[in-house]
Amino acid sequence: MSPRRNRPKGSDPSDPDGEDRSGRYGGFQSTESWQGEQWNVRHVAGASSQGKSYRCPGCDQLIPDGVPHVVAWPEHSGVDERRHWHKACWNAKDRRTSRVQRSRNAPKF
């Protein structure tokens, strides 16, 4: 068995800036423009969702624990405005209506 190689953080040869773009949640973060605003978008790996489930604002369905998804928030606001989206819902956000109608039997949370 060969010894483990220890590399300091930020020494990834594929990252020319030396920044750790993976962040705390195992995904990468970027900035996108949507509706005339700049949005911070973080792709979250399913294994790092911390045992929580979230409600997607695009389809109004739950994102269960362990499912990869996207966290997005406007650049000018704080992290209190973060919303968790399914990846497909985030990619289709321009094709969706602004008001999602729930059925009468849908949960109220």
Side-chain angles (χ1 to χ4, degrees):
M1 181 192 298
S2 61
R4 189 174 140 204
R5 294 181 189 167
N6 290 324
R7 293 185 181 133
K9 265 192 174 177
S11 67
D12 184 12
S14 65
D15 189 8
D17 299 332
E19 292 182 23
D20 181 21
R21 293 179 49 99
S22 66
R24 176 175 151 192
Y25 299 106
F28 63 93
Q29 185 170 332
S30 63
T31 304
E32 294 184 21
S33 180
W34 181 46
Q35 295 181 342
E37 286 187 82
Q38 293 287 45
W39 287 70
N40 294 319
V41 180
R42 180 176 294 147
H43 296 265
V44 179
S48 59
S49 61
Q50 302 176 355
K52 297 180 184 176
S53 59
Y54 302 97
R55 186 164 295 277
C56 174
C59 65
D60 204 30
Q61 300 294 315
L62 285 179
I63 303 172
D65 178 32
V67 173
H69 61 280
V70 172
V71 180
W73 66 98
E75 195 171 50
H76 65 82
S77 24
V79 293
D80 292 338
E81 297 294 318
R82 288 182 298 192
R83 296 295 174 258
H84 295 254
W85 295 69
H86 292 106
K87 287 184 180 184
C89 294
W90 176 255
N91 292 335
K93 62 191 174 293
D94 294 326
R95 296 187 303 266
R96 294 188 178 273
T97 61
S98 60
R99 289 183 39 92
V100 175
Q101 296 289 325
R102 288 189 188 196
S103 69
R104 290 184 182 181
N105 297 331
K108 299 292 184 195
F109 53 87

